[in-house]
Amino acid sequence: MKARLADIATQAGVSEATVSRVLNSKPGVADDTRRAVLTALDVLGYERPARLRRRSAGLVGLLLPELDNPIFPAFAQVIERALAHHGYTPVLCTQTPGGVTEDDYTELLLERGVSGIVFVSSLHSDSGADMSRYLRLVERGLPMVFVNGFAPGVDAPFISSDEAVAVELAIGHLASLRHSAIGLAVGPERYVPTARKIAGFRRGLAERFGVTEADGWIERSLFSVEGGQAAAGALLDRGATAVVCGSDLMALGAVRAARQRGLRVPQDVSVVGYDDSPLVAFTDPPLTTVRQAVQAMGAAAVRALLDEIGGGRAPRTELIYRPELVVRGSTGPAPDRRR
C-alpha cells in the first residue's frame, strides 16, 4: 500500500514534514519521534521503505482459543502491536474444533525457535486440564506469560481481569435499579474465570440481598450466543428480571431469549454483558457491560514477557486488573410486578 503522509502523521501525532524526514532518513528527528512514525507505518499496514526495515528481534507465539468471540481479536491486536513496537514478530495461533491443538501449536512454535509465548485463555484457564504441559515448558526455560486464568505451581507471570468484581459491579448496578431477581448465565464452571464469576455472584447476592443459597439463580452453558440464549431462557422462566452474562456474546443470546418470550429489553428484562467487545455499543439496544482492561492487560503481558526474554524475572504473583462498568441501554428499572 502507498503510504499517505497525512494518515501516518495523524497516527504518530506529528507533522507531515516530520514524517517525510523520517521516511527519507533525514537527520534532525528525535529517536522517540522516529520510532513513533515507524510504528504508525506498521499499525496502518503500510510497508516500510527497504532502508528502514529493521531486523526482527525474534518470533513470539500468541495462542488464542478462537476468533469468533470479538474479545480475542481485541487482545491479539493490542499484544501484536506492542510486540512489533519492540521489534518482535508475533505468530498468531488460533485453535478450531477438530483442528490443530494447543500442544501441536506449542511444539510447532518451539521448532521455529520462538523467543517466548503468550497464552490467552488457553488450557491454563481450565482447572481440569493437565498442567504438566506448562511445567515441561518451564523446565526448558521458555519465557511464557498467561492471560486470564491461573495454574498453581506453574512458575510464570499471570495476568487476569477481576472476574468476581466484574459480577459484583453488575449486581450493584442492577440493585440500584431495584432488581432483586437477578440470574447469572455463564460457561462451564471448570474454567477459572467462570468459577470466579460464580464466587462474585454468590458474594454479591449475599451482601446486597442476604441471599445465602444462589444455586437456583445460576445457569451454566456454552460461551456463545446460543449458550447465552439457553441459560437466560431458563432464568427468565424462573422469574428473573435481570441477567448477568459471562460474555457479551452470551448477553446477545439473553436478549434473544427475552424477545422470544415477548419481553422487552430493558423495560421488562435487564441484561448485562462482560468484555465490552467491539460493536456492542451499536447493538439493539446498546449493551450494558463490564469492560475488561484489554489495553492495560495486553501491555502488561508484553512487558512481562520481554523481562523474561531479557533474562529478568517478572513478578510471579497474579496481576489482577479491575474491570469497569459501562452503562448503556440494555438495563433499566425493575418492572412493576403489580402491573
Side-chain angles (χ1 to χ4, degrees), residues 174-182 209 241-242 266 268-270 331-335:
L174 293 169
S176 72
L177 296 171
R178 300 189 180 279
H179 288 274
S180 57
I182 302 172
F209 309 109
T241 63
D268 302 314
V269 176
S270 288
T331 50

Side-chain angles (χ1 to χ4, degrees), residues 54-61 80 83-84 86-92 114:
R54 62 184 173 188
R55 189 173 181 179
S56 174
L59 302 176
V60 170
E80 288 179 335
L83 288 170
H86 291 280
Y88 286 89
T89 301
V91 181
L92 180 62
V114 293

Side-chain angles (χ1 to χ4, degrees), residues 48-112:
R48 294 189 184 191
R51 61 183 174 276
L52 296 178
R53 293 174 194 164
R54 62 184 173 188
R55 189 173 181 179
S56 174
L59 302 176
V60 170
L62 174 55
L63 266 70
L64 302 175
E66 56 166 302
L67 291 178
D68 292 338
N69 188 332
I71 195 63
F72 296 127
F75 268 113
Q77 185 178 42
V78 170
I79 293 171
E80 288 179 335
R81 185 178 299 174
L83 288 170
H85 181 72
H86 291 280
Y88 286 89
T89 301
V91 181
L92 180 62
C93 302
T94 306
Q95 300 171 66
T96 55
V100 183
T101 66
E102 178 181 322
D103 291 337
D104 293 334
Y105 272 130
T106 301
E107 192 60 37
L108 181 63
L109 291 170
L110 291 173
E111 291 174 1
R112 297 295 185 272

Side-chain angles (χ1 to χ4, degrees), residues 113-126:
V114 293
S115 301
I117 300 178
V118 179
F119 294 90
V120 179
S121 299
S122 300
L123 288 173
H124 70 278
S125 66
D126 186 344

Side-chain angles (χ1 to χ4, degrees), residues 29-271:
V29 180
D31 288 342
D32 286 347
T33 303
R34 189 178 300 275
R35 280 194 294 271
V37 171
L38 295 178
T39 300
L41 271 174
D42 298 335
V43 169
L44 294 172
Y46 294 130
E47 186 175 350
R48 294 189 184 191
R51 61 183 174 276
L52 296 178
R53 293 174 194 164
R54 62 184 173 188
R55 189 173 181 179
S56 174
L59 302 176
V60 170
L62 174 55
L63 266 70
L64 302 175
E66 56 166 302
L67 291 178
D68 292 338
N69 188 332
I71 195 63
F72 296 127
F75 268 113
Q77 185 178 42
V78 170
I79 293 171
E80 288 179 335
R81 185 178 299 174
L83 288 170
H85 181 72
H86 291 280
Y88 286 89
T89 301
V91 181
L92 180 62
C93 302
T94 306
Q95 300 171 66
T96 55
V100 183
T101 66
E102 178 181 322
D103 291 337
D104 293 334
Y105 272 130
T106 301
E107 192 60 37
L108 181 63
L109 291 170
L110 291 173
E111 291 174 1
R112 297 295 185 272
V114 293
S115 301
I117 300 178
V118 179
F119 294 90
V120 179
S121 299
S122 300
L123 288 173
H124 70 278
S125 66
D126 186 344
S127 61
D130 182 4
M131 298 302 161
S132 65
R133 53 172 49 87
Y134 302 122
L135 298 179
R136 290 192 293 270
L137 295 176
V138 170
E139 291 174 359
R140 297 181 62 158
L142 178 71
M144 298 179 295
V145 175
F146 298 89
V147 178
N148 279 341
F150 185 70
V154 177
D155 186 24
F158 288 84
I159 294 166
S160 298
S161 179
D162 197 329
E163 314 275 349
V165 165
V167 175
E168 291 178 52
L169 287 172
I171 290 176
H173 170 60
L174 293 169
S176 72
L177 296 171
R178 300 189 180 279
H179 288 274
S180 57
I182 302 172
L184 178 68
V186 287
E189 195 168 356
R190 73 174 190 271
Y191 292 104
V192 173
T194 296
R196 290 175 172 177
K197 284 187 176 76
I198 290 174
F201 182 73
R202 295 183 192 279
R203 186 162 60 242
L205 289 192
E207 292 177 355
R208 295 277 179 177
F209 309 109
V211 175
T212 57
E213 182 51 62
D215 285 350
W217 294 106
I218 301 172
E219 279 293 323
R220 302 158 184 85
S221 187
L222 300 177
F223 293 112
S224 64
V225 173
E226 293 76 16
Q229 180 179 349
L235 293 168
L236 294 175
D237 291 342
R238 290 177 207 151
T241 63
V243 180
V244 179
C245 298
S247 71
D248 289 336
L249 287 183
M250 295 188 79
L252 296 179
V255 173
R256 180 189 292 176
R259 288 175 173 165
Q260 281 184 336
R261 288 160 174 76
L263 300 173
R264 300 164 299 165
V265 178
Q267 293 88 345
D268 302 314
V269 176
S270 288
V271 176

